[in-house]
Amino acid sequence: MTFNSSILIKAFSVGTFSTLAILASMNPAQAFSFKMTSGIAGANGELNQGAFSEFYADAGTTTVDFNDGKLPTGDAFASYSFSSTSNKSSVRANKWAPTYASLEEGDSNVLKANKNDSNYLAVFSGNDVIIDLKENLNYFGINWGAAHKDNTYSFFKGDTLLQAFSTADIEAGGGFQHYNTAHGGSGMGSKDGAQGNGYAHFYSDSADELFDRIVISQFGGGGFETDNHSFHVGSDRFTGFEPQDVPEPASLLGLAAIAGIAAAKRKRSQSA
Ligand SMILES: [Ca+2]
Ligand SMILES: [Ca+2]
């Protein structure tokens, strides 16, 4: 069975306020925090593999770099699957790959995006990627690149949606770490004709927000490009950063995105 999120969003946008009230109750305040950083270069100093998490070498951390051209499935610690068989979303390599930026030689103020030559994950509308984890996590980090409006992450514990984040949350939180001038871009997630990139960290502020499933979605045009996913197991809050307040996902489209994901999950449950 295929799932068309755009139809659901359209239906939702003319929907009822009672639906909004239900969604609000699904989204407890300040469940998670996020932080955008530069990330770090590859383990041997490689600049052309995108950005990695500053925590990737820590105990209890698993990192997926997609460099073998496939998604980990089956018994993998992080098992990836698609919400539909449309084949729009995939592991690939091209100029849109998320980038790591280093300081321009001889200039301590100018960040230069280094082209990522490796495979990465691209997600498109109607073909979500679902990541099921073997254990509870308190941290998920990604090199987020070529940002578009409504790139969306949703964090679940079992079937309960804990929180979702989209491009608008990053913009509200200060924007992306750098804007890659190697290719054009406009609209949310872009600045001065260049698209946002950086290493985004999402983490639990308490033991009540541990998660074991992540859904990666794009709503609308453009793709959602990411690389170097890092997962950290935990039984309490993530201690790598101090807790901080995060703006609630405020836009109607943000809520519609959550509704679409919830509906997709119900469909999967029914067909399972
Ligand atoms: Ca890669
Ligand atoms: Ca994109």
Side-chain angles (χ1 to χ4, degrees):
M1 176 183 290
T2 57
F3 163 62
N4 189 329
S5 59
S6 62
I7 290 172
L8 274 169
I9 288 171
K10 195 172 177 188
F12 180 81
S13 66
V14 294
T16 64
F17 287 107
S18 62
T19 310
L20 273 177
I22 291 165
L23 285 166
S25 70
M26 287 163 55
N27 186 25
Q30 316 305 339
F32 273 69
S33 293
F34 73 84
K35 201 182 233 342
M36 178 68 73
T37 71
S38 61
I40 57 177
N44 300 307
E46 304 95 332
L47 301 177
N48 67 342
Q49 301 287 305
F52 288 80
S53 171
E54 288 88 339
F55 304 104
Y56 96 105
D58 289 5
T61 305
T62 301
T63 297
V64 175
D65 64 15
F66 308 102
N67 289 355
D68 64 0
K70 296 181 297 195
L71 291 178
T73 57
D75 270 352
F77 175 79
S79 180
Y80 290 64
S81 58
F82 294 106
S83 67
S84 78
T85 55
S86 74
N87 295 323
K88 283 163 73 178
S89 303
S90 69
V91 175
R92 61 186 70 187
N94 58 29
K95 68 175 180 178
W96 306 104
T99 47
Y100 170 69
S102 52
L103 290 170
E104 190 92 69
E105 211 165 308
D107 190 326
S108 59
N109 293 313
V110 177
L111 280 172
K112 172 175 166 281
N114 300 285
K115 182 173 179 289
N116 180 348
D117 295 321
S118 77
N119 286 311
Y120 70 96
L121 175 65
V123 173
F124 293 89
S125 175
N127 197 191
D128 298 345
V129 166
I130 301 118
I131 312 172
D132 284 299
L133 289 315
K134 276 224 165 96
E135 296 180 53
N136 288 334
L137 301 186
N138 61 10
Y139 168 88
F140 174 57
I142 36 93
N143 187 189
W144 185 337
H148 269 99
K149 185 175 184 291
D150 299 317
N151 290 170
T152 302
Y153 291 99
S154 304
F155 295 88
F156 292 87
K157 179 75 178 80
D159 286 333
T160 303
L161 175 66
L162 298 173
Q163 187 135 351
F165 293 92
S166 74
T167 315
D169 296 299
I170 299 297
E171 298 255 290
F176 286 83
Q177 191 261 344
H178 66 278
Y179 293 83
N180 185 350
T181 55
H183 46 69
S186 61
M188 185 179 283
S190 301
K191 199 163 92 178
D192 301 330
Q195 292 181 318
N197 286 253
Y199 205 90
H201 311 263
F202 301 97
Y203 53 99
S204 310
D205 287 334
S206 81
D208 293 335
E209 289 98 35
L210 303 178
F211 53 97
D212 58 11
R213 178 182 288 173
I214 303 161
V215 178
I216 301 177
S217 315
Q218 169 58 6
F219 297 92
F224 192 168
E225 291 79 15
T226 67
D227 202 355
N228 304 326
H229 296 182
S230 275
F231 307 90
H232 184 263
V233 297
S235 55
D236 205 337
R237 80 170 185 89
F238 182 68
T239 56
F241 294 119
E242 288 303 308
Q244 59 180 341
D245 283 351
V246 178
E248 288 292 301
S251 71
L252 183 63
L253 190 57
L255 289 168
I258 296 164
I261 290 159
K265 282 174 56 60
R266 280 195 297 277
K267 281 198 169 188
R268 277 195 300 280
S269 300
Q270 284 162 9
S271 60

